[in-house]
Amino acid sequence: MTSSSAKTTSSSPRSKAAALGENAALLLLEGDDDAARTASYLNISSLDPADEIRMVRFGVPARMIDALAGDMWVSRSRLLDWIKMPEATAKRKIKNDELLDTSWSERVLALASLIGQVQHMVEESGDPNGFDAPNWVGQWLSEPNPAFGGVPPGTYMDTEKGSNLVSQMLLQMQSGAYA
């Protein structure tokens, strides 16, 4: 494909997903502004499913792992344990500034989306001033939870069904269906 034909296909689904991924990732990776980072998490959590699928297929930057771990105040190794990614693989991909494959992109986006979901819940139901959604999610995923059989919810983030279960539990908490 020539560079001129690449320019004419900028509205293709892959290009759209790439733009969404790059914009969200850049805010997470390079944004020092808390409001911009919060907006990025909200954007990721409200992606149209088709756009999210395209983004997963394109791949997210491996550096998002460190951005998420830092925002969530958890170690990289804990986050990698949640998504079942070997430490050596993560280090190599981060060092080489690579994109994650489909499976790990989906898991990383699920974590980012969960943060956006919590931020949205707080904005809907409470006062978001001073609330640190990434930190809260990191702590909540790390602590044993009776609703998950006494294990930390983070242990469920390695599969699509598991991350959906975690998301549903948060929605139930918001509605008071689970106390």
Side-chain angles (χ1 to χ4, degrees):
M1 177 181 270
T2 66
S3 60
S4 62
S5 64
K7 290 178 185 175
T8 61
T9 61
S10 63
S11 63
S12 72
R14 181 174 174 148
S15 296
K16 184 176 179 183
L20 287 170
E22 287 173 9
N23 290 339
L26 286 175
L27 287 174
L28 289 176
L29 297 171
E30 299 167 1
D32 291 331
D33 179 6
D34 288 340
R37 292 173 79 81
T38 298
S40 183
Y41 285 119
L42 287 168
N43 182 33
I44 290 170
S45 70
S46 61
L47 279 173
D48 176 85
D51 288 335
E52 185 175 353
I53 290 166
R54 287 184 197 105
M55 202 162 124
V56 164
R57 287 178 177 162
F58 181 78
V60 298
R63 293 181 302 147
M64 277 186 72
I65 293 168
D66 284 343
L68 279 168
D71 286 352
M72 296 171 81
W73 297 28
V74 299
S75 67
R76 179 200 287 174
S77 61
R78 173 167 284 177
L79 191 142
L80 292 174
D81 185 49
W82 290 339
I83 66 171
K84 300 298 184 248
M85 181 180 213
E87 181 89 28
T89 302
K91 284 182 182 178
R92 178 180 43 79
K93 288 186 173 289
I94 292 167
K95 179 183 175 194
N96 295 332
D97 201 20
E98 295 177 18
L99 297 175
L100 297 176
D101 70 16
T102 303
S103 176
W104 287 318
S105 289
E106 187 167 52
R107 294 170 192 179
V108 166
L109 282 176
L111 284 169
S113 184
L114 203 61
I115 293 168
Q117 177 185 340
V118 167
Q119 182 66 39
H120 182 74
M121 289 167 52
V122 170
E123 288 178 3
E124 263 186 358
S125 304
D127 181 10
N129 291 328
F131 181 71
D132 185 349
N135 180 289
W136 187 91
V137 170
Q139 184 177 0
W140 186 75
L141 289 174
S142 298
E143 296 175 355
N145 189 309
F148 294 95
V151 300
T155 62
Y156 288 87
M157 296 304 295
D158 64 328
T159 66
E160 181 182 0
K161 284 196 182 282
S163 61
N164 288 338
L165 178 67
V166 171
S167 176
Q168 287 299 315
M169 184 57 63
L170 286 169
L171 291 172
Q172 290 175 0
M173 289 169 51
Q174 181 185 26
S175 70
Y178 179 84

